[in-house]
Amino acid sequence: MAGAALDGLGARLKAYEGRPAAVAGGGKDPVNAPMIRHWCEAMGDTNPAYFGPDPIAPPTMLQAWTMGGLSGHQGRTGAYDELLSLLDASGCTAVVATDCEQEYLRPLRPGDQVTFDSVIESVSGRKTTKLGAGYFVTTRTDVRVGGDLVGTHRFRILKYAPARHEPQAPRPRPVVGRDNAGFWQGVAEHRLLIQRCTDCGTLRHPWLPGCNACGCLDWDTVEASGEGTVYSYVVMHHPPFPAFDPPYAVGLIELAEGVRLVSNVVGVPYDKVRIGLPVRVEFRTYEDADGALVLPVFRVVEGEGEA
């Protein structure tokens, strides 16, 4: 990493240091045993301190109790959003979380109701990284119970202008086997084929040797209309792959027929992709040393996702 000079933009960003990002925020749920159990099951953590008649919460769950979910928190001040918007306007449109630090002052127990305040603790000078040039932004969240400080969470991101790299490798090819060869043959013919159980009529994707509803091994196919909606999505920033140019959106697409599949979402900027956007299949052909490769992607229906 090099180049930490404080340029004109950097000076404007520095003015946000010390400004509150959230004031008197409150956890949407008290510390509770079901969330502790789910966390421990996901992490494979069997520490007996987290179970039994008088459990404590795993210390690393500190941030979980402050998360606002999709609806956010009412205590947000807007300063953090202003800072990110300023970076976006400067071309630093990509973001990657780099690290976090947590300090624990006392264990949290079921029934504790957390409150918190967040502050923009620091903004670095301009840095040049392998991902691109940008600024590191650190927020600090102080977590309290009954007015007593119980822990501190620092979260650091890099907001950067993506460095552009020409793809240097062929696009990876799908693994085609006996069970899914029919699907990829259909794609090569610009047809999106869905398996259908000939016994119970259940549609399924990905392709399987037998029906996951009734177990029947006999099936045929129906051709999908290609219409669907974005059921869920992620934006890929890192790690980089030589054949791809991040950032780009990868969606879980729910087809009109009811099955879901994963593919790229195209036709709008990656940051305009939203759950529920209507999309339509589009077949793209890529040429490399091994010949033509046809892949299905999903284009946002014209007029959607442009606001």
Side-chain angles (χ1 to χ4, degrees):
M1 218 183 308
L6 190 61
D7 56 10
L9 174 61
R12 295 174 65 190
L13 299 175
K14 280 287 185 181
Y16 282 86
E17 290 186 344
R19 291 184 60 179
V23 177
K28 292 200 168 180
D29 297 286
V31 177
N32 62 84
M35 285 183 67
I36 293 172
R37 175 171 55 82
H38 291 316
W39 177 281
C40 290
E41 288 178 355
M43 298 298 178
D45 194 336
T46 58
N47 190 320
Y50 308 144
F51 306 94
D54 186 27
I56 64 172
T60 50
M61 286 189 74
L62 182 66
Q63 186 188 19
W65 309 115
T66 68
M67 289 182 172
L70 294 177
S71 58
H73 280 291
Q74 293 183 346
R76 289 172 65 105
T77 65
Y80 190 65
D81 293 333
E82 291 174 16
L83 173 62
L84 298 186
S85 295
L86 187 59
L87 285 162
D88 285 340
S90 74
C92 296
T93 56
V95 62
V96 62
T98 60
D99 62 286
C100 69
E101 304 169 11
Q102 293 185 337
E103 302 174 45
Y104 316 115
L105 280 73
R106 79 148 172 90
L108 291 172
R109 289 183 164 81
D112 284 342
Q113 184 68 57
V114 303
T115 59
F116 61 91
D117 300 285
S118 296
V119 64
I120 302 169
E121 190 170 63
S122 66
V123 184
S124 75
R126 185 176 178 84
K127 304 279 188 177
T128 301
T129 75
K130 190 172 182 179
L131 292 175
Y135 301 81
F136 288 90
V137 180
T138 304
T139 54
R140 188 191 76 243
T141 300
D142 294 330
V143 183
R144 294 180 172 82
V145 173
D148 296 328
L149 185 66
V150 297
T152 298
H153 175 81
R154 285 181 174 84
F155 190 69
R156 188 171 295 109
I157 64 170
L158 170 65
K159 278 283 284 180
Y160 64 97
R164 296 296 175 182
H165 303 287
E166 291 297 324
Q168 299 177 346
R171 187 170 291 264
R173 291 177 173 261
V175 177
V176 180
R178 180 178 60 185
D179 293 332
N180 67 353
F183 172 78
W184 289 108
Q185 179 60 41
V187 169
E189 299 168 357
H190 291 201
R191 302 166 64 214
L192 202 57
L193 299 180
I194 306 172
Q195 273 185 314
R196 177 176 58 189
C197 176
T198 56
D199 186 17
C200 69
T202 298
L203 301 179
R204 63 180 185 261
H205 187 88
W207 281 33
L208 297 169
C211 178
N212 53 352
C214 72
C216 178
L217 298 179
D218 296 324
W219 54 270
D220 60 11
T221 62
V222 295
E223 184 172 354
S225 66
E227 307 290 333
T229 57
V230 176
Y231 183 83
S232 182
Y233 70 96
V234 295
V235 175
M236 298 297 297
H237 293 278
H238 193 77
F241 293 96
F244 299 91
D245 189 17
Y248 54 91
V250 178
L252 177 61
I253 308 301
E254 184 166 77
L255 297 178
E257 292 76 13
V259 300
R260 299 170 189 160
L261 72 161
V262 176
S263 186
N264 291 84
V265 181
V266 301
V268 297
Y270 69 90
D271 57 351
K272 299 298 183 183
V273 176
R274 295 291 183 269
I275 291 172
L277 274 180
V279 292
R280 182 179 298 114
V281 73
E282 176 180 293
F283 295 94
R284 290 188 173 182
T285 301
Y286 301 89
E287 297 283 351
D288 59 30
D290 295 322
L293 171 63
V294 181
L295 294 175
V297 299
F298 285 83
R299 178 171 293 276
V300 174
V301 174
E302 187 175 356
E304 301 287 344
E306 298 176 354

